[in-house]
């Protein structure tokens, strides 16, 4: 990237660039707002639809909320549905995504640090395996993972979803890139000369600069596990251990024969979107997505 | 102990070997990789070469035997699976360019000076990333469903014939729309972040040379963030090959999405509904090889760019 470091040639013909006019550019602004409307409209619709009871959902005008007590009806009936199983789904999602993402980040960070900062026999082999892991479709693994879990007698347990969620080839790949760019070899070397052991060095020198990347990875993993459907769908048969995604999916399936459930599903969708949206708005500043895009800057 | 070769190596890159340390740090990852990646892959390949065949004449005892590539032959001649593959390719041809085109467009627009409501648009477009695929599909499913659809309401209100989003001819586009909706924001943010990393002087230089914003966007910005564009393209292609959630969620809402609509749905049905693990395994391997073939070429380029320096 020598282009980047070259200073721009001094302009001779027009020494002073015209001062920028503070005029708003309306065409790009309008296009962006159009994009925002496309992305937000379905979420707005679900908020409106959640106010409608089963009889209103199919009959009233879609873009106007109802104040006939549909919202309360949906909330109470959803929370009562099968003895409050919806709350259980929410807590399960939190458990899978919370515990899974923390463990996943720990494993990925250590692995990424080791891959970036040490030369050792088998490094490239391990790394190529990890890259292959990024490419293999999840269901290709899901069938044998299911068989493995049933061999271990873990099918239908929390472990069957948690354990496979911990290994994230993509997380390791990002951690390696990140460690290579933020952990200073000179600092590590200085630590070694001062006689620090390798683990102390990793803990005191290597890992601290990786913390911003770890936070980003934590969020990425949290969302990935929270959003995961296929793995829990295959592993879990007891609806008390479903995450929200699988729970609402099965509810919708029942809705095909009991349309009264549709308004509850809409409410469930609304309630399941809320916490993650809130989390996102709150955590925006902690996102360091240059970790994702920066890894491939030439 | 120290041979000439390692001595040279040591001088060039002092003490990066660390004895057993890297292996200890990697141990949890390696154990999990072996258990949940390598063993499953190996077992899938093993299963794909076997089948339950009836032996023992009249008694008809089903026994697992080695059948070579028979499963592959039957998978590749199974019209439902092949149709699913073609449908998936078509889906990818719609989703990948549309999603990345929009993501790039929005990222460039956000990076344009004097654009208003930038923060609002950025968050708004990014928001669908927070919505799980199943939830997004449920949501759009309701927007498509003839009885509930507000989009149809709008069409009827202005006196136009309401579109049927779940008709055989349109359902592919309806599913593709969910994919685009869910992915455009994340890719936009990735590309936007890459754009932010470009030193401002680059643009100043182009402006002094008389380039307008569109020229700067197309001639300066896009080439500079090409590596990030390539990377998002690879991941978009990989996720196309794994499309499952959206059609599977729409399935109960309409008859036009069959049980074998995309390859993963066929694999799921074979493995968990028909309990034919052997066919499912062969179909999985075919899909995995396809993914590899698509990705490896581009990844070679990517890897050289990403790790050119820390090697």
């Amino acid at each position: 990237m020598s282009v980047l470091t070259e200073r721009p040639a001094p302009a001779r013909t027009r020494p002073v660039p015209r001062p920028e006019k503070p005029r708003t550019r309306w065409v790009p602004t309008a296009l962006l707002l159009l994009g925002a409307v496309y992305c937000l409209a379905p979420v707005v619709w679900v908020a409106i639809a959640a106010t409608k009871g089963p009889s209103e959902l199919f009959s009233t005008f879609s873009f106007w909320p109802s104040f006939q007590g549909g919202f309360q009806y949906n909330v109470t009936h959803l929370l009562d549905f099968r003895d409050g199983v919806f709350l259980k789904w929410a807590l399960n999602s939190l458990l899978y995504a919370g515990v899974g993402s923390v463990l996943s980040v720990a494993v990925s960070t250590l692995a990424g640090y080791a891959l970036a900062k040490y030369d050792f026999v088998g490094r490239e082999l391990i790394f190529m395996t990890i890259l292959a892991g990024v490419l293999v479709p999840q269901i290709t693994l899901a069938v044998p993972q299911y068989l493995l879990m049933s061999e271990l007698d873990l099918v239908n347990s929390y472990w069957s979803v948690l354990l496979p969620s911990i290994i994230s080839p993509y997380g390791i790949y990002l951690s390696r890139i990140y460690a290579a760019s933020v952990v200073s070899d000179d600092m590590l070397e200085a630590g070694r000369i001062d006689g620090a052991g390798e683990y102390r060095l990793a803990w005191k020198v290597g890992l601290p600069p990786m913390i911003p990347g770890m936070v980003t990875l934590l969020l990425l993993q949290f969302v990935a596990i929270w959003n995961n459907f296929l793995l829990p769908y295959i592993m879990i048969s007891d609806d008390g251990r479903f995450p929200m995604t699988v729970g609402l999916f099965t509810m919708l399936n029942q809705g095909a024969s009991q349309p009264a459930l549709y308004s509850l599903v809409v409410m469930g969708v609304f309630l399941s979107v809320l916490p993650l949206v809130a989390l996102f708005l709150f955590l925006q500043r902690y996102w360091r997505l240059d970790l994702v895009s920066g890894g491939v800057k030439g | 102990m120290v041979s000439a070769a390692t001595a040279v190596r040591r001088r060039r890159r002092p003490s990066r070997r660390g004895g057993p340390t890297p292996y200890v740090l990697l141990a949890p990852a390696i154990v999990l990789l072996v258990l949940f990646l390598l063993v499953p892959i190996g077992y899938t390949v093993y299963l794909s070469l076997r089948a339950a065949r009836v032996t023992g004449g009249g008694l008809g005892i089903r026994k697992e035997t080695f059948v070579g590539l028979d499963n592959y032959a039957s998978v590749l001649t199974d019209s439902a699976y092949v149709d699913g593959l073609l449908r998936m390719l078509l889906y990818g041809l719609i989703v990948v360019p549309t999603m990345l085109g929009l993501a790039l467009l929005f990222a460039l627009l956000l990076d344009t000076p004097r654009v208003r409501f930038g923060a609002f648009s950025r968050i708004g477009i990014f928001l669908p990333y927070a919505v799980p695929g199943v939830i997004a599909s449920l949501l759009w499913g309701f927007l498509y469903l003839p009885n509930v659809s507000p989009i149809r309401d709008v069409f009827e209100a202005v006196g136009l014939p309401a579109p049927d989003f779940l008709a055989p001819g349109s359902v592919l586009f309806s599913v593709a729309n969910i994919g685009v909706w869910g992915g455009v924001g994340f890719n936009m943010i990735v590309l936007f972040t890459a754009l932010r990393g470009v030193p401002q002087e680059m643009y100043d230089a182009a402006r002094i040379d008389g380039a307008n914003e569109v020229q700067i966007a197309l001639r300066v910005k896009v080439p500079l963030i090409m590596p990030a564009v390539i990377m998002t393209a690879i991941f978009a292609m990989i996720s196309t090959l794994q499309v499952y959630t959206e059609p599977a969620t729409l399935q109960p809402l309409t008859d036009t999405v069959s049980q074998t609509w995309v390859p993963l749905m066929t694999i799921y049905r074979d493995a968990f509904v028909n309990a034919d693990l052997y066919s499912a395994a062969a179909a999985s391997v075919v899909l995995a090889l396809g993914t590899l073939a698509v990705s490896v070429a581009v990844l070679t380029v990517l890897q050289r760019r990403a790790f050119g320096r820390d090697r």
Side-chain angles (χ1 to χ4, degrees):
Chain A
M1 273 278 169
S2 63
V3 181
L4 277 179
T5 51
E6 271 170 21
R7 297 192 57 80
R12 276 159 301 182
T13 46
R14 234 185 291 166
V16 183
R18 278 173 299 158
E20 300 234 324
K21 280 176 263 168
R23 192 166 49 87
T24 304
R25 287 172 174 269
W26 285 110
V27 174
T29 303
L31 285 173
L32 278 173
L33 286 177
L34 216 62
V37 167
Y38 165 65
C39 289
L40 289 176
V43 180
V44 172
W45 178 83
V46 83
I48 293 172
T51 65
K52 295 174 184 179
S55 59
E56 297 166 303
L57 186 62
F58 295 96
S59 59
T60 56
F61 180 64
S62 320
F63 283 119
W64 196 248
S66 158
F67 300 101
Q68 308 296 315
F71 192 84
Q72 291 90 319
Y73 173 92
N74 288 336
V75 171
T76 47
H77 281 78
L78 179 66
L79 294 182
D80 282 349
F81 179 70
R82 314 267 305 272
D83 301 322
V85 79
F86 181 78
L87 270 184
K88 243 185 203 165
W89 295 341
L91 290 174
N92 288 339
S93 274
L94 202 63
L95 176 83
Y96 291 129
V99 177
S101 60
V102 168
L103 292 176
S104 170
V105 168
V107 169
S108 300
T109 307
L110 292 180
Y113 172 77
L115 286 168
K117 291 293 156 189
Y118 290 103
D119 277 331
F120 53 93
V121 179
R123 180 170 88 148
E124 289 315 305
L125 182 73
I126 293 169
F127 190 62
M128 289 322 281
T129 313
I130 289 164
L131 276 185
V134 177
L135 302 177
V136 177
Q138 206 197 350
I139 201 163
T140 314
L141 304 173
V143 175
Q145 278 177 357
Y146 175 84
L147 297 173
L148 177 78
M149 286 297 175
S150 61
E151 205 60 41
L152 298 171
D153 227 1
L154 288 176
V155 165
N156 199 21
S157 72
Y158 284 107
W159 292 111
S160 64
V161 174
L162 266 177
L163 287 175
S165 302
I166 296 171
I167 187 73
S168 162
Y170 185 55
I172 298 175
Y173 167 84
L174 288 181
S175 298
R176 173 181 169 165
I177 296 171
Y178 198 65
S181 70
V182 300
V183 182
S184 150
D185 281 331
D186 295 339
M187 293 276 284
L188 290 177
E189 205 42 49
R192 282 186 188 113
I193 290 166
D194 289 347
E198 291 298 327
Y199 301 106
R200 205 177 124 83
L201 213 54
W203 186 248
K204 295 279 181 195
V205 180
L207 298 180
M210 291 184 72
I211 288 171
M214 288 160 81
V215 173
T216 305
L217 198 57
L218 187 77
L219 289 168
L220 285 171
Q221 273 304 108
F222 188 93
V223 173
I225 302 174
W226 182 281
N227 289 0
N228 198 349
F229 168 71
L230 203 53
L231 182 71
Y233 184 54
I234 286 169
M235 293 291 180
I236 307 284
S237 52
D238 172 3
D239 71 357
R241 297 197 189 98
F242 281 170
M244 209 121 77
T245 49
V246 181
L248 286 170
F249 176 80
T250 53
M251 237 177 121
L252 181 80
N253 269 327
Q254 290 175 29
S257 53
Q258 298 166 257
L261 277 180
Y262 277 159
S263 75
L264 301 189
V265 177
V266 169
M267 177 54 84
V269 169
F270 174 66
L271 291 182
S272 73
V273 167
L274 271 190
L276 223 56
V277 168
L279 184 79
F280 261 68
L281 296 180
F282 176 67
L283 289 177
Q284 261 217 88
R285 73 190 92 169
Y286 300 109
W287 281 91
R288 290 280 316 274
L289 281 167
D290 48 330
L291 167 64
V292 184
S293 63
V296 288
K297 260 189 277 163
Chain B
M1 276 290 279
V2 182
S3 71
T6 49
V8 168
R9 200 191 169 93
R10 267 170 184 267
R11 207 171 309 132
R12 190 163 49 85
R13 215 181 253 171
S15 53
R16 284 192 48 160
R17 304 184 73 90
T21 314
Y23 300 105
V24 175
L25 295 177
L26 272 164
I30 292 175
V31 170
L32 290 166
L33 268 177
V34 169
L35 263 181
F36 296 109
L37 194 75
L38 295 185
V39 168
I41 290 173
Y43 192 59
T44 307
V45 173
Y46 169 80
L47 274 179
S48 74
L49 300 171
R50 303 177 71 82
R53 288 287 148 87
V54 180
T55 55
L59 285 170
I61 302 159
R62 288 169 75 84
K63 218 178 154 192
E64 197 188 282
T65 48
F66 179 79
V67 296
L69 297 176
D70 282 9
N71 290 326
Y72 290 92
S74 56
V75 159
L76 289 173
T77 52
D78 174 9
S79 62
Y81 185 75
V82 175
D83 284 352
L85 274 175
L86 293 174
R87 204 174 283 118
M88 179 191 76
L89 281 178
L90 201 56
Y91 168 89
L93 284 175
I94 302 168
V95 169
V96 177
T98 311
M99 181 173 75
L100 290 182
L102 282 176
L104 186 60
L105 174 72
F106 290 141
L108 289 170
L109 291 174
L110 281 176
D111 200 48
T112 310
R114 287 172 287 137
V115 161
R116 294 182 70 183
F117 307 115
F120 170 78
S121 306
R122 197 178 70 225
I123 296 169
I125 297 170
F126 187 49
L127 200 73
Y129 174 63
V131 181
V134 176
I135 307 295
S137 310
L138 286 176
L139 226 173
W140 278 99
F142 283 112
L143 296 179
Y144 294 151
L145 205 63
N147 288 338
V148 202
S149 173
I151 308 171
R152 288 173 62 102
D153 285 0
V154 171
F155 271 84
E156 276 159 8
V158 292
L160 287 168
D164 184 355
F165 297 104
L166 299 172
S170 54
V171 74
L172 182 70
F173 295 93
S174 301
V175 176
N177 173 57
I178 304 175
V180 171
W181 184 79
V184 68
F186 185 75
N187 288 301
M188 173 192 77
I189 293 286
V190 170
L191 297 176
F192 179 64
T193 315
L195 278 174
R196 292 270 113 160
V198 177
Q200 203 61 37
E201 300 93 71
M202 296 288 294
Y203 308 145
D204 294 341
R207 278 188 198 110
I208 289 167
D209 288 346
N212 63 34
E213 290 301 328
V214 176
Q215 286 170 326
I216 291 175
L218 295 180
R219 305 245 180 101
V220 183
K221 293 181 179 177
V222 173
L224 279 175
I225 60 163
M226 216 48 207
V229 175
I230 293 172
M231 194 195 65
T232 51
I234 295 174
F235 284 108
M237 283 183 232
I238 295 174
S239 58
T240 288
L241 289 154
Q242 306 181 14
V243 60
Y244 173 83
T245 310
E246 292 84 0
T249 310
L250 286 186
Q251 212 199 352
L253 296 177
T254 169
D255 296 330
T256 45
V257 179
S258 64
Q259 279 208 326
T260 56
W261 205 74
V262 284
L264 282 187
M265 289 174 73
T266 315
I267 295 170
Y268 180 86
R269 186 204 57 177
D270 285 350
F272 295 101
V273 182
N274 299 348
D276 180 1
L277 293 174
Y278 314 102
S279 294
S284 297
V285 174
V286 169
L287 196 61
L289 288 178
T291 320
L292 272 175
V294 170
S295 321
V296 158
V298 205
L299 248 168
T300 323
V301 179
L302 184 77
Q303 211 207 347
R304 202 167 50 231
R305 285 178 182 278
F307 301 112
R309 279 177 305 185
D310 78 306
R311 276 229 169 116

